[in-house]
Amino acid sequence: RRLERLDEGARGMLEVASVLGREFGLEHLVMVTGAEREVVADRLHQAAGGDIVAPVEGEVDRFRFAHAVGLKF
């Protein structure tokens, strides 16, 4: 249900991020998706607002999925 609140672009980006693992870097998503850094950052912040991902404490531009299971794309 949390994913339903996100736009299609954010959901697609999270699907790509899920392949990278529980933790992933913003720059990795930029490289893999080919999207502009600002677009990826906006989508990650949208997902963070929905409690789907969270910044990794003490690391710049690194995120982790808030829950390891239960996300269905």
Side-chain angles (χ1 to χ4, degrees), residues 1-65:
R1 294 185 187 227
R2 289 175 285 136
L3 288 173
E4 293 172 2
R5 293 181 250 165
L6 302 178
D7 64 35
E8 186 177 327
R11 287 192 307 269
M13 188 206 55
L14 289 173
E15 188 171 5
V16 172
S18 71
V19 175
L20 297 174
R22 182 165 165 85
E23 288 189 11
F24 54 90
L26 177 102
E27 295 304 326
H28 288 122
L29 278 178
V30 169
M31 286 187 294
V32 171
T33 64
E36 293 184 26
R37 189 179 197 284
E38 294 79 21
V39 170
V40 173
D42 287 344
R43 290 175 176 166
L44 284 173
H45 287 108
Q46 182 184 16
D51 294 324
I52 298 168
V53 300
V56 174
E57 192 173 322
E59 296 195 41
V60 177
D61 293 334
R62 189 142 181 90
F63 294 82
R64 64 172 175 77
F65 282 97

